[in-house]
Amino acid sequence: MSYEFILTRTNGRVGIVQFNRPKALNALNRGLMSELMTALEAFDADDGIGCMVVTGNEKAFAAGADIKEMATATPVTMLDNPFIGYWDRLRQIGKPVIAAVSGFALGGGCELAMACDMIVASESATFGQPEINLGIIPGAGGTQRMTYAVGKALAMEICLNGRFLSATEAQQHGLINRIVPVELYLEEAIKFAAEIAARAPVALRLAKEAVNAVYETSLQAGLAHERRLFYMLFSTDDQKEGMDAFINKRPATWHGK
Ligand code: CAA
């Protein structure tokens, strides 16, 4: 399938989506977000793919929602528009998604990276929610996910005062997984994704679901949810295979069943 605003490719069991609006610093317009979700949902449905990487370019992961497209919006046009809903659709992707971030990850771009499961950042990555400078607030999860990740004190600075986080600060505060030199960040993210993609597919989906449940539930409900998923995995061939392989000191072969 050919797209206008993104490029897609595969590398073994890794599906890669790259934003392709370099002149606009990969500002996220409706077309780009729609294509992104079409591509990710296709990878999610493809048994040959185990993990996905979403990326931009060295200068910008994405500098936010497209301000030019949003400038004339009203509450009613916003309500009628699926745009913000694309971040919810990202949440519904079952397989792991890694954001490979270099340069600007601002506004909706930062919110997109945070809606992924893990973030591999280049040394030049810059995270922020500068919507306050436009007279608005983050609208695709920034106030919530940033606060969960870095805590209230810093999230207030980021959302109320447009403070940017460097890659080092983002790592110190638990927002990202690792920092890689700019020339290697995408390669490293794909390598990381390939490691994950080689793991037992059903267990991967349920592990992702269980970790994400932390954001939705109390500890007690989360523990009960985890236990049900844990028990459920004992009905899979992969569990029998993984444990037999361990006991017989051989590598496991996963079938995703
Ligand atoms: N929307 C539309 N176009 C954008 C854009 C955005 N979010 N960010 C950058 N661009 C465009 C610029 O308009 C410019 O285009 P032209 O050459 O046609 O003028 C081009 O990208 C390059 O940008 P700059 O010349 O500004 O580049 P810079 O290196 O001087 O500055 C920057 C980089 C600091 C990221 C600056 O571009 C900037 O502040 N961008 C806006 C960031 C922002 O406010 N993001 C939040 C958007 S609102 C949002 O995301 C809401 C939400 O929660 C969903």
Side-chain angles (χ1 to χ4, degrees):
M1 181 151 178
S2 75
Y3 294 105
E4 187 179 352
F5 300 111
I6 61 170
L7 303 169
T8 63
R9 64 191 164 103
T10 58
N11 186 322
R13 286 180 51 76
V14 178
I16 303 156
V17 180
Q18 180 167 23
F19 306 141
N20 190 25
R21 294 190 75 202
K23 286 191 186 135
L25 302 182
N26 292 325
L28 305 169
N29 61 8
R30 278 191 296 262
L32 187 154
M33 288 303 295
S34 166
E35 290 184 0
L36 169 67
M37 287 319 307
T38 300
L40 290 181
E41 285 164 0
F43 284 143
D44 207 27
D46 180 347
D47 287 343
I49 297 296
C51 187
M52 295 161 232
V53 171
V54 174
T55 195
N57 57 46
E58 281 183 16
K59 182 163 186 211
F61 175 72
D66 190 319
I67 299 167
K68 292 166 191 168
E69 197 175 75
M70 238 173 11
T72 56
T74 68
V76 175
T77 60
M78 289 285 215
L79 271 175
D80 285 343
N81 187 327
F83 186 65
I84 294 293
Y86 289 121
W87 279 258
D88 293 331
R89 268 171 69 184
L90 177 53
R91 231 172 108 226
Q92 303 307 320
I93 296 288
K95 292 172 188 168
V97 184
I98 296 175
V101 175
S102 187
F104 297 113
L106 302 178
C110 186
E111 290 166 308
L112 191 60
M114 292 192 293
C116 294
D117 302 304
M118 285 172 274
I119 302 177
V120 172
S122 86
E123 287 158 342
S124 77
T126 303
F127 299 86
Q129 299 290 161
E131 288 89 343
I132 196 77
N133 300 326
L134 301 168
I136 57 170
I137 67 169
T143 61
Q144 306 302 295
R145 289 202 174 91
M146 186 60 83
T147 310
Y148 274 117
V150 307
K152 174 177 162 181
L154 187 53
M156 285 288 186
E157 279 192 55
I158 292 166
C159 295
L160 276 61
N161 207 22
R163 163 133 145 56
F164 285 176
L165 291 185
S166 66
T168 309
E169 288 175 310
Q171 189 171 43
Q172 279 163 358
H173 293 282
L175 187 70
I176 65 173
N177 293 76
R178 51 181 84 168
I179 305 176
V180 183
V182 175
E183 60 281 8
L184 289 177
Y185 80 100
L186 183 54
E187 191 182 319
E188 187 65 29
I190 294 170
K191 230 162 71 188
F192 187 24
E195 275 175 36
I196 293 168
R199 300 191 179 280
V202 185
L204 261 187
R205 294 180 87 101
L206 298 192
K208 167 173 169 162
E209 182 182 324
V211 173
N212 280 334
V214 161
Y215 298 104
E216 321 271 346
T217 52
S218 65
L219 177 60
Q220 194 174 351
L223 290 172
H225 183 66
E226 178 195 78
R227 197 154 313 164
R228 282 195 295 275
L229 297 179
F230 175 68
Y231 291 162
M232 199 172 112
L233 283 165
F234 284 77
S235 68
T236 63
D237 293 349
D238 284 350
Q239 175 269 326
K240 303 287 179 272
E241 164 67 8
M243 294 196 180
D244 186 72
F246 175 81
I247 291 164
N248 291 300
K249 302 187 188 303
R250 62 172 177 84
T253 305
W254 308 117
H255 295 293
K257 291 196 279 189

